[in-house]
Amino acid sequence: MQARVLLVSSEAVPLVKTGGLADVITALAVSLRKLDIDASILMPGYGVAVAHAEADATTAPLQPLALPRDLPGGPARLLRGVMPGTDVPVLLLDTGRFHQRSANPYIDQSGNEFSDNAICFADLAHAAVAICAGETAVPAPHVVHANDWHAGLIPFLLKTAGLNHVASMLTIHNLAFQGNYDWALAGQLGLDRDAQAMSSLEYWGKISFLKAGLQHADCVTTVSKTYAQEILTPRFGYGMEGVLNERRAALRAIPNGIDSKVWNPEADPLLRHSFNVGDMRGKTLSKCDLQDMFGLLPVDPFAPIVGIGSRMSHQKMADVVLQTLPTVLDRHERMQLVVLGCGERSYEEGFLDLACRYPGRVGVHIGYDEERAHALHAGCDMLLHPSRFEPFGLTPLYAMRYGTIPIASRVGGLTDTIADVGMHGPAGRGASGVLFDGETARDMEAAIERAFALHQDAGAWRAMQRNAMHTDFDWQTAAAAYVDAYAAIAATEAKPLFARKAPDARVALEQAA
Ligand code: ADP
Ligand code: GLC
């Protein structure tokens, strides 16, 4: 028998993606399966997800499976299929509420959170518990792996239902999102249990989905070593530092990986030109393609291009970026800027204004666009990626694969994955980017100036590009660490199924060390 793991997430590529979580879930499931773990994914059956999965169903159409219990939001069913482009089984929770959601799964067209998010994600948790209880045609998993607040109720519901044979893990991808809702909703969310259990969900007078997971999961993980330390402090803990400190013994850091097949300058189907560390001619051509794509003039392979590709949010310091860029653009007349992103409307407008102020020098695309993201990483010289906090930060790693040097904040996963030229001295000795402290325009400007100075030195820049392109964050190491963690929490009878894998996992970890 194989060990079974059910990954529960609100998004997963290629069905639905608003951020790095979606990349991580599918890549992790694929990597676990390579380690002989029977990993599958449970996620909401958003309209777009169902349509996409149906259209891509190469082997068979989606198979409806009954859910014998009604969920808080009403009756529902599961649709079983395969994640397009992988061998990972996927279960889509088909409810009327989820089905209506398309472009953005969390917010409506005016940018407000959907009013029934609490019910929708309570449905997701109750459906996971029904699967764990063996109430559906899907075999119950040995470990249920909940991700972020959307799946946070699962560990609590498992415990209160007495389903102790299924172990639970909660992974924190972003502590800033917590799913805190009015206490009055408890009954509607199917949470009317005993008072003592309920008190463990209480967060400043509200029910917190995330806290439910933090309190009750057998193991809590987060996605980088530095973030695992940071979240124990008030600055980064978003009010959860107390609970996290209490659960310190159950907290592990398992850094993400990246999909080096998808982000590969040598074979990227979304680019016209390929390149590698030994032959960068394709990068120069990709730079011209990018200038063309974003209407930058002149199409000049020697103009330094800075790129920004991320959610336009407070987390990603969009406010400070907008304050800083005019000064930098005025100082460096040859510099060009490419911006790809979407998010808060005021920031989107700020970037569009910047493009109007600097026609031909600033190209902005508001929206979510995979092809442009690849073009940006391939064609830019530098990626500006500031963050007030960053649990992991996949984007700079994608840029680095293409020899694009990140200028990023010294927080969270960015500290662990980018070797700062300031710390490592001359670029030849392992540096792969520029890290900076602080959250002011002056801090950011100084970091950009540092990068521009390095860019003048062709030898140092080339060495940094080589280091960046050689940085290896393969998923197999991360997946092996997860197997190790699953083995530690699995019920006694299930442990051997994982333990059989644990030695491989340790070998992989030792090799990576
Ligand atoms: P976060 O999850 O906090 O947004 P990450 O850097 O870990 O940060 O992951 C972001 C993911 O979303 C990356 O895969 C990045 O390429 C992608 N992304 C963000 N904005 C866009 C966009 N506008 N178009 C295409 N991809 C985007
Ligand atoms: C979150 C974090 C990001 C991380 C991603 C995947 O969205 O903001 O830093 O890389 O999750 O774990």
Side-chain angles (χ1 to χ4, degrees), residues 272-273 283-301 303 305 336-338 360-365 371-372 375-376 379-380:
R272 291 201 309 149
H273 309 285
K283 181 159 178 84
T284 311
L285 297 170
S286 300
K287 199 165 163 176
C288 296
D289 284 354
L290 181 70
Q291 288 169 320
D292 227 20
M293 184 182 254
F294 279 81
L296 300 178
L297 289 167
V299 173
D300 168 9
I305 307 187
Q336 298 178 342
L337 176 75
V338 169
R361 289 187 63 203
V362 176
V364 175
H365 179 86
E371 193 176 337
R372 281 189 172 81
L376 183 145
C380 285

Side-chain angles (χ1 to χ4, degrees), residues 19-21 24 148 173-174 223 256 311 315-316 389-394:
L21 171 66
V24 166
D148 271 352
H173 296 267
N174 196 329
V223 290
N256 288 331
R311 291 186 283 118
Q315 176 189 347
K316 308 289 180 184
F389 63 92
E390 194 67 78
F392 183 75
L394 294 162

Side-chain angles (χ1 to χ4, degrees), residues 244-327:
L244 284 161
N245 274 290
E246 273 169 31
R247 300 250 35 225
R248 212 176 175 141
L251 179 65
R252 287 191 188 210
I254 304 183
N256 288 331
I258 63 166
D259 189 334
S260 44
K261 285 208 184 82
V262 174
W263 301 96
N264 178 10
E266 282 190 277
D268 187 330
L270 297 177
L271 297 181
R272 291 201 309 149
H273 309 285
S274 60
F275 55 96
N276 59 49
V277 75
D279 178 359
M280 296 287 275
R281 281 172 298 179
K283 181 159 178 84
T284 311
L285 297 170
S286 300
K287 199 165 163 176
C288 296
D289 284 354
L290 181 70
Q291 288 169 320
D292 227 20
M293 184 182 254
F294 279 81
L296 300 178
L297 289 167
V299 173
D300 168 9
F302 298 104
I305 307 187
V306 177
I308 298 176
S310 77
R311 291 186 283 118
M312 291 175 173
S313 64
H314 185 255
Q315 176 189 347
K316 308 289 180 184
M317 286 167 77
D319 49 337
V320 185
V321 172
L322 285 167
Q323 274 173 42
T324 312
L325 285 174
T327 319

Side-chain angles (χ1 to χ4, degrees), residues 398-440:
Y398 297 156
M400 282 155 67
R401 292 274 295 157
Y402 294 80
T404 296
I405 301 300
I407 305 167
S409 304
R410 198 190 317 278
V411 291
L414 304 173
T415 313
D416 304 343
T417 54
I418 300 169
D420 179 23
V421 67
M423 307 264 287
H424 293 255
R429 284 197 243 130
S432 58
V434 174
L435 291 179
F436 68 97
D437 297 296
E439 295 177 5
T440 68

